[in-house]
Amino acid sequence: MTVRTVYLLGVLALAAPAAAAPEVPADTGGAALDQARAHFARGEFAAARDLLLAAYTSSHRADLLFALGQAEFNLENFVAAIDYYEQFLATNPDPERTALTQQALGAARARIAAPRPAPPPRTVERHRWLPEYTGLVVLGAAGLVLGGSLLVHGHGLGRDDGGSLSDYELRIKRSQSEQIAGLVSAIGGALAITSAVVAWRVRTETTVITPSLSERAVGVAIGGRW
């Protein structure tokens, strides 16, 4: 039974005369039913419930119990709806209203037993730092340190003008060689670190989290690609 069908049952119940209901002033239960009917028509089920509950507290009209059940049903408070339906059946209504209440009661129980829809899958993307990236960074840092040391030492050799001319020329050649080697080492170290960072940012792992529901358990299925 759909919510629309139950809503129609609620309208019929609100319009029908009360069975086995005590005598109450017309402006307590009757007026509440009229106002509740208007709330139902506008889909204002919470307002209808509050109004009916206040009216039932003061009048104890039996038909208000069924109307309260309808309001709770449309608010998807199915346990509360079942309680009101059963209270109404306990007042021994006429056969037609009993049949309507039994239908509404069955619909509420079916909604409780029906599996709840699982939330939609959620995709999570992340950048995971791998051990090889650490290796590249360590290698790159070593290259930078070595290159810096060679550059500093080679530059110092070039500024030493002591000794014979042949010694000075050898130092100049060694200075140039060390500075070139230091520059190459520093550039290689910088490239290694840069490649690790770029690879970390470019490589994306996609994880799909799919919740699943059953009557007895809640599960989560996780899958991914990278």
Side-chain angles (χ1 to χ4, degrees), residues 56-142:
Y56 180 74
T57 301
S58 61
S59 69
H60 295 285
R61 283 182 58 152
D63 51 349
L64 292 175
L65 289 170
F66 183 86
L68 279 165
Q70 296 297 86
E72 295 288 6
F73 184 98
N74 283 279
L75 289 170
E76 297 189 358
N77 300 327
F78 303 117
V79 174
I82 289 172
D83 182 60
Y84 282 123
Y85 293 148
E86 290 178 340
Q87 289 184 58
F88 178 65
L89 289 174
T91 65
N92 297 316
D94 61 68
E96 181 180 358
R97 290 163 63 81
T98 296
L100 288 175
T101 306
Q102 292 288 2
Q103 291 180 43
L105 190 60
R109 287 171 176 164
R111 292 294 294 273
I112 291 177
R116 292 175 296 169
R122 184 166 58 94
T123 300
V124 178
E125 293 187 353
R126 63 173 182 164
H127 303 279
R128 188 160 64 96
W129 186 267
L130 300 178
E132 48 263 39
Y133 302 160
T134 302
L136 283 173
V137 170
V138 171
L139 181 63

